Amino acid sequence: MFCVAPPESEAKMNITKGGLVLFSANSNSSCMELSKKIAERLGVEMGKVQVYQEPDRGEDVNTTIMELLIMVYACKTSCAKSIIGVVPYFPYSKQCKMRKRGSIVSKLLASMMCKAGLTHLITMDLHQKEIQGFFNIPVDNLRASPFLLQYIQEEIPDYRNAVIVAKSPASAKRAQSFAERLRLGIAVIHGEAQDAESDLVDGRHSPPMVRSAAAIHPSLEIPMLIPKEKPPITVVGDVGGRIAIIVDDIIDDVDSFLAAAETLKERGAYKIFVMATHGLLSSDAPRLIEESAIDEVVVTNTIPHEIQKLQCPKIKTVDISMTLSEAIRRIHNGESMSYLFRNIGLDD
């Protein structure tokens, strides 16, 4: 989804309020639903757009990306005054670090968006905040934490008996931020494999380590690295007789969440919630959640997941269209964005 401010000469001809036009990618019906909610909050009509695609290519993230780039470029060549991209979930955001000799795909995607003609980007809860530096245009990285915190306070009656859980040390900062807002305790699960974030895959061994001592120059005495070994899974913090609320930014492959839930159950937690901003919930994730010890998974509507909800009643949705629509309104009117970041911690 993106917004366009038409040229000065055409602003008077536009039927929408204040010359703001809201377009939506139409490859996914759920994406259209979020766009309509935002349009209603802004009091503007949806712009009419037709994007044609071959019927045999499927509806995947790459189709949506190309749709966005083509629409942005069409607006640019039509002399739009400004083009604001609204990408609630930034695709390929986990591929933002060098992994051995791999590519940093999120940097490539940022360059493509800027080259197509985007003048401003609105997104939410980037996997790594440093991704903003890949763009040469303003980026507003909004937060979903206020909505998730509100859900905890309003929908979990006995949340005062809860403990915020980080399923790995890497997510401890986010868990600590939630715990401080809710004035709750924190627990950290240690011993889980760190696949995507380990130093073995993020480029610190690029070029690869020297494996043979004979290959080292005789004048150099480089100590050999001791290989890592995963410690047994332990829970740092008391969860016995408590509600465990696991917080993270993305839930896609649910294996780590299921393992965390089993560990928490063994330690005495009597209810287990999972809170995340982006619910990709790909493959057989809904079935696995339904059969697991997890009582409820709460995600926002940054990503369409209506089909997954039909497969798993445990999945609940929090609407964040209010924040997106307010961000669009403020940018279009030239107002300060600081209000949307009030009381938002760096670690949210």
Side-chain angles (χ1 to χ4, degrees):
M1 175 182 26
F2 61 96
C3 318
V4 177
E8 298 290 344
S9 59
E10 299 180 12
K12 296 180 180 178
M13 299 173 58
N14 199 284
I15 62 173
T16 55
K17 184 179 179 180
L20 178 67
V21 187
L22 186 69
F23 293 101
S24 173
N26 54 25
S27 62
N28 192 294
S29 59
S30 297
C31 180
M32 287 288 294
E33 288 301 317
L34 177 58
S35 302
K36 288 177 180 177
K37 287 183 180 180
I38 293 174
E40 289 174 2
R41 292 182 182 277
L42 291 171
V44 301
E45 295 183 9
M46 292 290 299
K48 295 181 180 180
V49 62
Q50 289 182 323
V51 180
Y52 298 94
Q53 55 185 327
E54 295 294 329
D56 61 342
R57 294 189 181 179
E59 297 178 359
D60 55 16
V61 64
N62 295 325
T63 300
T64 307
I65 291 171
M66 281 306 302
E67 197 173 45
L68 171 67
L69 295 175
I70 292 170
M71 293 169 68
V72 168
Y73 187 67
C75 292
K76 176 184 178 181
T77 54
S78 298
C79 302
K81 181 180 178 181
S82 62
I83 307 172
I84 306 168
V86 184
V87 186
Y89 169 67
F90 189 75
Y92 296 103
S93 59
K94 284 192 173 183
Q95 293 176 262
C96 58
K97 293 182 180 179
M98 176 69 75
R99 301 178 181 180
K100 294 186 178 179
R101 292 294 186 179
S103 58
I104 304 178
V105 182
S106 57
K107 167 61 177 174
L108 171 64
L109 190 55
S111 300
M112 291 168 64
M113 289 181 176
C114 295
K115 188 67 175 178
L118 214 61
T119 60
H120 202 125
L121 177 69
I122 299 173
T123 186
M124 182 166 282
D125 282 342
L126 289 170
H127 182 59
Q128 297 289 342
K129 298 176 180 63
E130 291 79 8
I131 293 176
Q132 296 176 79
F134 293 160
F135 291 84
N136 55 13
I137 59 174
V139 177
D140 285 304
N141 181 26
L142 304 177
R143 305 291 197 274
S145 56
F147 296 91
L148 297 177
L149 291 169
Q150 183 181 38
Y151 184 93
I152 293 173
Q153 293 173 319
E154 295 180 356
E155 302 298 330
I156 305 178
D158 47 349
Y159 82 92
R160 289 292 182 189
N161 188 36
V163 59
I164 306 298
V165 179
K167 69 180 180 67
S168 69
S171 56
K173 286 187 176 181
R174 178 183 296 269
Q176 180 181 357
S177 179
F178 272 62
E180 290 175 351
R181 303 294 178 80
L182 296 169
R183 294 175 173 82
L184 299 176
I186 183 174
V188 180
I189 299 176
H190 181 52
E192 184 187 15
Q194 302 294 300
D195 295 330
E197 305 296 334
S198 71
D199 61 353
L200 293 177
V201 295
D202 69 357
R204 275 176 269 182
H205 294 312
S206 180
M209 292 182 297
V210 177
R211 300 183 181 275
S212 172
I216 302 177
H217 193 276
S219 63
L220 298 177
E221 294 182 1
I222 301 177
M224 298 300 292
L225 292 176
I226 300 174
K228 288 184 176 180
E229 291 185 10
K230 290 190 300 180
I233 293 180
T234 57
V235 179
V236 181
D238 181 21
V239 297
R242 312 283 288 279
I243 298 172
I245 303 176
I246 305 172
V247 297
D248 213 331
D249 62 330
I250 300 173
I251 176 168
D252 184 9
D253 180 8
V254 297
D255 289 345
S256 60
F257 290 93
L258 301 183
E262 288 295 333
T263 301
L264 293 169
K265 276 288 185 183
E266 293 172 0
R267 300 301 194 278
Y270 72 92
K271 276 189 180 180
I272 299 173
F273 291 79
V274 174
M275 315 285 293
T277 302
H278 310 295
L280 276 70
L281 302 168
S282 58
S283 189
D284 57 350
R287 179 183 61 82
L288 294 173
I289 292 171
E290 187 65 23
E291 298 172 354
S292 72
I294 298 173
D295 292 281
E296 195 168 281
V297 173
V298 183
V299 293
T300 72
N301 56 344
T302 57
I303 299 174
H305 53 267
E306 296 305 317
I307 295 176
Q308 289 87 336
K309 289 179 69 175
L310 293 175
Q311 298 171 349
C312 177
K314 291 182 179 181
I315 300 172
K316 308 297 180 183
T317 307
V318 174
D319 180 24
I320 44 78
S321 61
M322 180 187 299
T323 295
L324 295 175
S325 57
E326 181 64 12
I328 294 170
R329 189 192 68 79
R330 286 176 175 271
I331 292 173
H332 180 65
N333 293 338
E335 299 177 19
S336 172
M337 293 287 287
S338 61
Y339 175 79
L340 298 178
F341 295 95
R342 186 175 297 175
N343 299 323
I344 297 293
L346 294 175
D347 298 322
D348 281 8

